[in-house]
Amino acid sequence: MQSSYNGINVPVDGQRIDYIAGAYQVPDQPIIPYIEGDGAGRDIWKNARAVFDAAVEKAYDGKRRVQWYEILAGEKAYRLHNDWLPQDSVQACIDFRVSIKGPLTTPIGGGIRSLNVTLRQTMDLYQCVRPVKHYPGVPSPMKNADDVDVVIFRENTEDIYAGIEFKEGSADVKKLRDFVNNELLGNTKKKLRDDAGLGIKPISVHGSKRLVRAAIQYAIDNGRRVMTIVHKGNIQKFTEGAFLEWGYEVAKGEFRDKIVTERESWIFAALDKDASLTPEALAKVVEPGIDYAPKTFGDKVIAEVKDVLAAIGETHGNGKWKSLLLVNDRICDAMFQDLLLKPKEYDVLATTNLNGDYLSDAAAAQVGGLGIAPGSNIGDGYAVFEATHGTAPRLADQDVVNPGSVILSGVMLLQLIGWNEAADLIEQAMTKTIEQKVVTVDFAKEMDGAIQVGTSAFAARIVENL
Ligand code: NAD
């Protein structure tokens, strides 16, 4: 362990957070690195930090305290060290395991190593976790925004984000096209066009299972009722469809006594009403169109019912299934509709990278947008929390932006290290502040009777409300 990073000494009063046998070991004064961020990040960080410190002080009477430790990235790092992303900063995030960052400028012209990508790869941060919840009073396009309360687990390392793409017209794309057309599609009518660019979408057993596992564990640990696997398996059978299949394998294979699948729940619900139902009758409950399907399909469903009853009839039947986590699945396009039309039915969502990218921004918009949406990238023993918005350059250094996204990211951080009392205090105080209609400009312009305040006054009111 270094005694300084980027020439800044590590706080002497703090200790490192450790991770042993799958659990964080958190000292009373953990050293937590932060990247203030560029642009509006400068306004936000100092105010968000004041909220965190006041909440921790209040929750633990001074017995606990975060030793914040500044690490440099973005414009500040470039100004001081002529480097947009010093290796020391990456190393500090690794060494101290849990960190938080504000938004960073992406320099136009490219060629700059992205902090997010670098950290994601070096620490294998495979879960992008975004809670999406409405705080009463926050302007929203929804009629019943308060019904939205979901946590989205987006796979963070695979899918089309793996960056395996070949440009139209290149020698590589020709090689790949010829291979696919001649070797793989030779006997079919399918053909890749000569003028197509090509991309590869890898979805692995390993990547899918660990993401779904994390989502189920989160749902269980946090008393959530439903965990939904979101996929596009009806079209992309061996990637999205496989994600779905492997997701259920994890659910049934590793959490059998804690979960019931939706199909199983239909069987048990029907039996709870009428215990005399035969497997044939129950098969019709699971697949109402069974009489019109080929016999082989019907037989398969009857066999499925029999298997369910033999395997978990005792443990899950007679209403016992009702207290377990319900695991179901939805096709991604239907999920977008459901989140708008019946959000109450959803709780925790686990999905592949691209679906999750779209879904989390769309869901955030349902509850007030990016100014308030927190985010995190999580691996086994490592976590980086971050605002989901950018640097809002035109609003920077004017004390006007909404610090909500970073404050709620900090709430997630406190929850991860088990400081739930402080996390709850902040969430309650922020809810109260918005209920009092004391808000920053982004909310004020859409709220009747709002008292518009700056970043610092908004944070100060949260501290008052703690
Ligand atoms: P942006 O999120 O900065 O701004 C989009 C809109 O939202 C703007 O109107 C802005 O004023 C408003 N806004 C954003 N945050 C706000 C807040 N906290 N309070 C009130 N209003 C807020 O996105 P952009 O304009 O596309 O990008 C600006 C810069 O940020 C770019 O350099 C971009 O690369 C960078 N960026 C960084 C991250 C990151 O580091 N995670 C994410 C997105 C964009």
Side-chain angles (χ1 to χ4, degrees):
M1 180 80 54
Q2 301 172 207
S3 59
S4 75
Y5 296 75
N6 301 312
I8 306 173
N9 288 334
V10 172
V12 285
D13 292 334
Q15 295 87 40
R16 240 177 109 250
I17 292 176
D18 212 345
Y19 186 75
I20 299 169
Y24 286 98
Q25 313 292 319
V26 183
D28 282 342
Q29 298 206 28
I31 298 169
I32 299 186
Y34 69 90
I35 294 165
E36 157 185 283
D38 299 326
R42 291 188 288 271
D43 300 294
I44 292 173
W45 173 253
K46 55 180 181 277
N47 290 298
R49 174 180 171 161
V51 171
F52 303 145
D53 288 342
V56 169
E57 165 76 30
K58 182 153 177 102
Y60 308 112
D61 255 346
K63 285 192 204 77
R64 286 176 170 171
R65 196 171 142 215
V66 175
Q67 294 285 342
W68 299 107
Y69 177 43
E70 177 162 27
I71 55 173
L72 304 175
E75 288 169 15
K76 198 167 181 181
Y78 188 71
R79 221 174 40 244
L80 296 173
H81 294 283
N82 206 23
D83 188 350
W84 291 93
L85 179 57
Q87 185 53 33
D88 260 14
S89 300
V90 176
Q91 196 56 47
C93 290
I94 298 169
D95 290 347
F96 295 101
R97 293 187 175 276
V98 177
S99 53
I100 184 165
K101 69 173 273 281
L104 295 173
T105 304
T106 314
I108 293 169
I112 305 295
R113 202 159 60 122
S114 149
L115 177 69
N116 278 353
V117 174
T118 307
L119 294 181
R120 199 179 305 149
Q121 288 172 350
T122 48
M123 292 187 271
D124 196 13
L125 305 173
Y126 61 92
Q127 313 159 38
C128 177
V129 183
R130 286 186 44 183
V132 181
K133 168 176 163 179
H134 187 243
Y135 289 88
V138 171
S140 150
M142 299 272 294
K143 272 195 219 139
N144 297 312
D146 287 339
D147 290 349
V148 182
D149 182 3
V150 294
V151 181
I152 301 174
F153 281 70
R154 165 186 168 194
E155 203 290 324
N156 219 7
T157 64
E158 305 198 309
D159 205 341
I160 57 163
Y161 294 76
I164 309 171
E165 288 205 306
F166 302 94
K167 193 171 174 346
E168 185 273 323
S170 65
D172 283 348
V173 90
K174 182 175 181 322
K175 252 193 230 169
L176 180 59
R177 183 182 64 233
D178 287 349
F179 174 70
V180 173
N181 280 347
N182 301 334
E183 307 281 326
L184 305 180
L185 300 174
N187 297 326
T188 69
K189 283 191 183 153
K190 291 183 205 166
K191 284 285 171 272
L192 295 172
R193 290 195 174 124
D194 287 353
D195 59 352
L198 297 176
I200 289 186
K201 175 184 173 97
I203 302 282
S204 71
V205 177
H206 175 73
S208 303
K209 284 195 167 179
R210 66 179 179 172
L211 189 270
V212 174
R213 186 178 296 121
I216 295 178
Q217 192 62 55
Y218 174 91
I220 291 169
D221 291 346
N222 291 278
R224 296 279 183 155
R225 296 166 300 113
V226 190
M227 201 291 296
T228 305
I229 304 171
V230 182
H231 64 96
K232 190 68 189 166
N234 53 333
I235 302 297
Q236 302 166 50
K237 296 193 172 40
F238 302 132
T239 50
E240 296 278 329
F243 176 82
L244 168 69
E245 194 182 315
W246 295 325
Y248 274 121
E249 273 178 30
V250 170
K252 292 196 251 182
E254 300 177 24
F255 297 92
R256 187 61 279 186
D257 55 336
K258 299 199 168 64
I259 68 109
V260 65
T261 70
E262 192 169 49
R263 283 170 80 85
E264 292 162 356
S265 78
W266 293 333
I267 298 171
F268 291 124
L271 274 178
D272 284 351
K273 274 196 199 139
D274 180 356
S276 70
L277 288 176
T278 61
E280 288 72 18
L282 289 167
K284 274 189 205 171
V285 173
V286 178
E287 293 285 353
I290 206 167
D291 289 342
Y292 308 100
K295 184 169 179 310
T296 46
F297 177 77
D299 289 346
K300 224 171 101 189
V301 182
I302 293 166
E304 177 192 339
V305 170
K306 286 180 178 165
D307 284 348
V308 168
L309 295 177
I312 56 169
E314 281 291 308
T315 50
H316 290 54
N318 286 322
K320 290 185 208 121
W321 61 278
K322 287 184 189 164
S323 61
L324 303 178
L325 176 71
L326 181 73
V327 176
N328 60 11
D329 65 274
R330 294 291 179 268
I331 293 175
C332 194
D333 38 84
M335 192 67 241
F336 277 90
Q337 290 192 47
D338 280 5
L339 266 190
L340 287 167
L341 300 176
K342 36 189 177 178
K344 260 189 184 163
E345 292 184 11
Y346 298 94
D347 237 350
V348 176
L349 311 178
T351 192
T352 48
N353 209 334
L354 181 63
N355 295 337
D357 191 359
Y358 297 156
L359 206 51
S360 43
D361 272 14
Q366 287 179 229
V367 296
L370 292 180
I372 197 174
S376 64
N377 294 284
I378 296 186
D380 293 332
Y382 299 101
V384 180
F385 296 84
E386 63 171 341
T388 51
H389 56 73
T391 58
R394 273 174 305 171
L395 303 177
D397 302 315
Q398 297 167 48
D399 194 35
V400 293
V401 287
N402 189 343
S405 176
V406 171
I407 291 175
L408 292 176
S409 299
V411 166
M412 291 181 78
L413 185 158
L414 293 168
Q415 287 164 342
L416 180 101
I417 64 171
W419 292 15
N420 292 308
E421 298 79 4
D424 290 349
L425 276 178
I426 297 173
E427 224 189 338
Q428 285 155 13
M430 190 160 135
T431 305
K432 191 166 167 191
T433 305
I434 296 169
E435 276 171 351
Q436 292 167 340
K437 299 197 173 205
V438 175
V439 290
T440 46
V441 59
D442 50 328
F443 287 179
K445 62 187 181 207
E446 301 195 35
M447 266 166 96
D448 289 335
I451 303 160
Q452 185 178 320
V453 296
T455 316
S456 52
F458 178 72
R461 177 62 76 98
I462 296 177
V463 171
E464 236 172 77
N465 281 334
L466 280 171

